[in-house]
Amino acid sequence: MHSAAPDEMKHIPTSRWEAWCDTFGNGNRGRLIRIELDEELGGEPLVAGAKLVAIDYDPPGKGNAFTISFGPDEAPTRHTINNPVALRQDQDVNGLVVSIRVEDAEGGVTMARFD
């Protein structure tokens, strides 16, 4: 996994979440992913070493949730983050996204790190 500290953090405005998911998902499909939940940040991950299939966002009125799909294309596993309130991406010095962080309305945090 990418262990260096990120060089730049970018907050993604809510109005851009759907477009960001399309662009990011298409450009990063197949990258290895590690998903950590707030109570596990730095600890045992929910998943590690799986391939990213997609990241989707359904706005309020359609579910208001991020869904991260990973594993085999034919039958991916999904992790859903309901009621998100913030999305941020961390980039290395070359502009490569090394992690994303989604915060939900209940104060939970999901961190997805990419290799």
Side-chain angles (χ1 to χ4, degrees), residues 21-98:
C21 285
D22 288 341
T23 302
F24 183 84
N26 290 334
N28 291 277
R29 185 180 185 88
R31 284 183 72 189
L32 297 182
I33 188 171
R34 173 186 176 100
I35 299 175
E36 301 171 1
L37 305 179
D38 56 343
E39 64 270 8
E40 301 166 343
L41 288 177
E44 285 298 311
L46 176 70
V47 65
K51 290 184 179 181
L52 177 66
V53 173
I55 298 179
D56 299 299
Y57 174 66
D58 290 324
K62 292 185 179 180
N64 194 27
F66 277 100
T67 301
I68 303 171
S69 302
F70 52 89
D73 290 343
E74 316 77 53
T77 300
R78 291 175 175 83
H79 174 69
T80 301
I81 304 144
N82 293 308
N83 303 312
V85 295
L87 169 64
R88 133 185 144 196
Q89 68 180 28
D90 297 314
Q91 299 175 190
D92 68 11
V93 68
N94 298 315
L96 180 68
V97 175
V98 295

